[in-house]
Amino acid sequence: MKILAFNWKLNPLTEREALSLSSLSDRKDVILFPPAVFLDAIVQRTKRAEVGVQNLFWEAEGAFTGELSPVMAKSLGVRWALVGHSERRRYFEETDEMVNKKIKAAFAAGLNVILCVGEPRSVRERGIRAARAFIRKQLVSDLSGIRSSEFKGRDLAIAYEPIWAISEGAAHHPSDTPKDSAEMAKFIKQTLSPKPYPLNPKVLYGGSVNAKNIAAFLRPKEIDGVLIGGASLQKKELVKILSTKS
Ligand code: PEP
């Protein structure tokens, strides 16, 4: 089953709109990442889709004003955590070390993880080999010390999201090509296949996926699904996306 993961970022503005989006997307191949304030309402009302947090902190509790605890998220019925999204790395200065601590905390709390990796435009302009070296370094740092044996029963998926392909609000960027992203997905699987890494992670592609191009990204066998931001918030687009993959 190929996965459709929807990252709503800091949208929509009201719980009513959030529930309307989640009821449209309530299928068992969907993972929803709503803003934290809507988690409880969405978990209560979704029957088939799984729900995740867009971010979390590495401590379970304590004097950390404003943070989101993985243990609290789990107790609400949340199943997934999105970790290392490029917007968090860019705007909130999340380092690979912080990403690594977040992954460990999410697994320890019983959450599955989608780890986002992706190279900036300046790296991709130097060619595919430079992009691969960048991704390998991110994977090795982000997953440092994580052994599959310690986290049995948890799922790890990698979202390959080239930063230059991610849309910014209304500004849509050109997506990667399905061929290049499938090659990168294969490379990620090869990089993570030897022990001690968690075995056989699924690899998703993210970056300006929409109703027009989704079929092409879901076709290659190396790509196990897509992570969609902007297009998952537009109802007409969402309906088409869901009908493409039904
Ligand atoms: C994302 O936020 O992970 C993303 C892929 O966004 P978009 O689909 O809007 O490019």
Side-chain angles (χ1 to χ4, degrees), residues 7 9 85 161 165-167 206-208 227-230:
N7 173 22
K9 313 190 191 206
H85 192 281
E161 300 207 299
I166 298 180
S167 62
S208 296
L227 177 54
I228 307 181

Side-chain angles (χ1 to χ4, degrees), residues 5-9 82 85-87 116 159-163 165-169 171-173 205-210 226-234:
F6 297 151
N7 173 22
W8 295 354
K9 313 190 191 206
L82 196 62
H85 192 281
S86 61
E87 285 154 14
C116 301
Y160 170 57
E161 300 207 299
I163 298 172
I166 298 180
S167 62
E168 287 161 17
H172 289 280
H173 294 176
Y205 167 76
S208 296
V209 174
N210 55 39
V226 285
L227 177 54
I228 307 181
S232 70
L233 289 153
Q234 299 159 28

Side-chain angles (χ1 to χ4, degrees), residues 2-18:
K2 299 223 173 185
I3 295 171
L4 299 178
F6 297 151
N7 173 22
W8 295 354
K9 313 190 191 206
L10 194 54
N11 306 285
L13 285 177
T14 64
E15 186 177 290
R16 202 160 148 250
E17 292 170 88

